[in-house]
Amino acid sequence: IAAQAVADEDAQRCRRIGAHGSRLITPGARVVTHCNAGWLAFVDWGSALSPVYAAYEEGKDPFVWVDETRPRGQASRLTAWELGQHGVEHQIIADNATATLMKEGKVDLGIVGADRIAANGDVANKIGTLPTAIAAREYNIPFYVAAPTATIDLQCPHGDQIPIEERSQDEVLFTWGWSDSGEFIRVRTAPPASTAHNPAFDVTPAELITGIITELGIYVPAELKTHNAK
């Protein structure tokens, strides 16, 4: 019973994130996201994708650019599958294509999830989030973070105090995928003598974030403490 209650609360929080965030999505808006923060990562709805799903259910027909999210490919494997199952139009792009799409006027806003949010609004998320935010600022594109308030750590004053995990070199040196025969296999994509540096996350400074979408509403990073979002 307790576990079901926790699950139901998680789904409701994510649903409310979608209700608040869908207001940011205009009909036909082109959204870029990074990594997987949909219903596969939560009990239901998700965080970053919840506004997209809500907008889709409202008939706004959003389009999503899906960053592949190297090296593990969470978006190309999970987010794209999830959006396809839901009926949301999307295309997978290489992570380093995002800035060009923004420059060409093909992105209306960015929405990503968060693994941890510091008290000042700095956000830790999957590696590659920071360059997306920098490009969005350069091309005057709104960049939002969607996360339940449980992600906000008011005991962590700023992002510099968030430890960044160094993951296995193999995630960069090798790639998993389906062969032509349908077998899921691993292949090496780097020279045998090469090594790799593989930080799993990066920290996006609060000044690059337009707003943080929570189940309680949308806050600019500086409002997290004053509104007691936690």
Side-chain angles (χ1 to χ4, degrees), residues 61-81:
D61 295 325
F63 173 89
V64 180
W65 295 111
V66 180
D67 276 2
E68 61 183 347
T69 318
R70 283 281 296 152
R72 291 184 58 83
Q74 293 101 323
S76 59
R77 294 176 183 172
L78 303 178
T79 300
W81 180 85

Side-chain angles (χ1 to χ4, degrees), residues 56-226:
Y56 177 82
E57 298 297 331
E58 293 164 7
K60 294 181 179 180
D61 295 325
F63 173 89
V64 180
W65 295 111
V66 180
D67 276 2
E68 61 183 347
T69 318
R70 283 281 296 152
R72 291 184 58 83
Q74 293 101 323
S76 59
R77 294 176 183 172
L78 303 178
T79 300
W81 180 85
E82 186 177 324
L83 290 169
Q85 293 294 305
H86 206 89
V88 178
E89 187 179 2
H90 64 280
Q91 281 193 308
I92 299 169
I93 57 173
D95 293 347
N96 52 13
T98 304
T100 295
L101 290 172
M102 290 180 173
K103 181 182 179 181
E104 293 174 346
K106 296 178 180 178
V107 178
D108 297 302
L109 74 160
I111 307 177
V112 301
D115 290 87
R116 191 175 180 186
I117 301 175
N120 72 333
D122 292 348
V123 170
N125 193 50
K126 184 60 62 181
I127 190 75
T129 301
L130 174 58
T132 300
I134 292 171
R137 171 60 62 87
E138 175 67 21
Y139 295 110
N140 297 311
I141 294 168
F143 183 81
Y144 291 92
V145 172
T149 54
T151 310
I152 303 168
D153 184 358
L154 294 180
Q155 303 306 310
C156 179
H158 52 75
D160 289 344
Q161 294 193 358
I162 299 175
I164 301 299
E165 176 188 5
E166 172 76 15
R167 296 181 65 106
S168 169
Q169 296 184 44
D170 285 358
E171 293 180 353
V172 177
L173 302 175
F174 294 82
T175 296
W176 285 91
W178 285 270
S179 68
D180 290 341
S181 62
E183 183 182 5
F184 193 63
I185 60 173
R186 189 179 84 153
V187 297
R188 189 177 181 103
T189 56
S194 295
T195 60
H197 174 50
N198 185 24
F201 307 95
D202 58 25
V203 175
T204 299
E207 59 265 26
L208 296 179
I209 298 168
T210 307
I212 297 176
I213 310 166
T214 76
E215 75 274 19
L216 302 179
I218 303 173
Y219 299 86
V220 298
E223 292 178 323
L224 293 182
K225 283 186 176 181
T226 58

Side-chain angles (χ1 to χ4, degrees), residues 40-56:
L40 287 171
F42 291 81
V43 175
D44 202 358
W45 290 92
S47 59
L49 292 187
S50 188
V52 172
Y53 294 140
Y56 177 82

